[in-house]
Amino acid sequence: MSAYIAPSQIAQRQLEYFSGKHVLVAGEAEDTFPVELAKHCESVSVFTTNYGYYRSIKSNSQLTCYFGEQLTEQTNADMLLLYWPKAKAEAQYLLAMLMDKLGVNTEIVVVGENRSGVKSIEKMFAPYGRITKFDSARRCSFYWGQCSEQPDPFQISSWFKQYQVNYRDQTLTIQSLPGVFSMANLIWEANCFSTPFPLYVARY
């Protein structure tokens, strides 16, 4: 049995697409496939908003890893490997950010489970260029495309959603980003802390 999640397995079937490329991995990556991928391309970097995944993979010397809400570092990537996230809004957010960062002529590979709505990439990528499904296995799909249109400038401020939460006679203003913070995952644990605002915020 493969140690890789199904989207990684379908990418593993298509390693020739990555030959000679500087690959940036982003999205719902969960395993060590980027380490294997580094053996088949020029370089691999990983950008993730998931700190747990970042901690698990950052020690691999074959990879350059970035964690945060936005990729601000310079990169020589000429291909994006996007693991389709659970939330469509997060996919839109990542595309907007990373296509602006990487620019015209960047190639893109998208892998994801069919039940997660990966087919949405066909319409979602239209403002950037063409994308086509080239493989399907293990209830997952493999898409390849290329950015041929100049992406709009990415402004992270336009992606924040703001709302208020009332707690202990206090009003908190919460700002959330797709895939990073979500109102649905605010968990109040009043008995665990002595601070006036005992709040956990979880990534969905």
Side-chain angles (χ1 to χ4, degrees):
M1 180 178 294
S2 175
Y4 298 140
I5 60 175
S8 292
Q9 291 179 47
I10 197 171
Q12 189 179 33
R13 286 161 50 109
Q14 303 293 344
L15 288 173
E16 65 273 14
Y17 280 87
F18 305 99
S19 178
K21 297 296 180 181
H22 297 277
V23 182
L24 173 64
V25 179
E28 202 74 18
E30 300 176 10
D31 56 26
T32 59
F33 176 69
V35 178
E36 177 180 342
L37 184 61
K39 302 173 185 177
H40 302 276
C41 57
E42 291 298 310
S43 68
V44 174
S45 52
V46 178
F47 168 72
T48 179
T49 61
N50 185 328
Y51 187 63
Y53 182 63
Y54 171 75
R55 288 190 61 186
S56 72
I57 204 167
K58 68 176 182 176
S59 61
N60 291 281
S61 60
Q62 306 97 317
L63 308 177
T64 302
C65 298
Y66 308 104
F67 164 76
E69 77 285 356
Q70 181 178 1
L71 180 61
T72 56
E73 293 82 358
Q74 293 300 313
T75 175
N76 64 344
D78 53 14
M79 173 179 274
L80 172 63
L81 170 56
L82 179 64
Y83 283 74
W84 189 256
K86 294 182 176 68
K88 183 178 178 180
E90 185 179 1
Q92 294 170 322
Y93 173 75
L94 291 171
L95 276 179
M97 179 209 313
L98 298 175
M99 286 296 98
D100 177 43
K101 185 74 173 178
L102 303 180
V104 175
N105 296 323
T106 300
E107 295 181 45
I108 181 171
V109 167
V110 180
V111 291
E113 296 183 359
N114 297 331
R115 65 181 180 180
S116 70
V118 66
K119 183 177 173 62
S120 298
I121 190 61
E122 296 174 9
K123 290 184 178 179
M124 192 181 298
F125 194 72
Y128 306 102
R130 298 184 62 183
I131 194 165
T132 305
K133 183 165 72 172
F134 283 95
D135 196 7
S136 183
R138 298 187 60 79
R139 300 178 182 176
C140 291
S141 294
F142 176 102
Y143 286 85
W144 177 90
Q146 188 168 28
C147 179
S148 58
E149 303 293 331
Q150 184 64 44
D152 292 334
F154 178 76
Q155 299 292 336
I156 193 171
S157 58
S158 67
W159 289 87
F160 278 103
K161 289 186 177 180
Q162 184 170 299
Y163 52 90
Q164 293 184 326
V165 175
N166 294 317
Y167 179 69
R168 289 187 176 178
D169 299 322
Q170 299 286 337
T171 299
L172 301 180
T173 298
I174 309 296
Q175 288 189 320
S176 66
L177 286 169
V180 182
F181 297 131
S182 171
M183 185 175 182
N185 288 307
L186 293 174
I187 305 173
W188 303 91
E189 295 287 356
N191 296 322
C192 292
F193 292 90
S194 59
T195 57
F197 303 112
L199 170 64
Y200 288 118
V201 184
R203 182 182 183 277
Y204 65 80

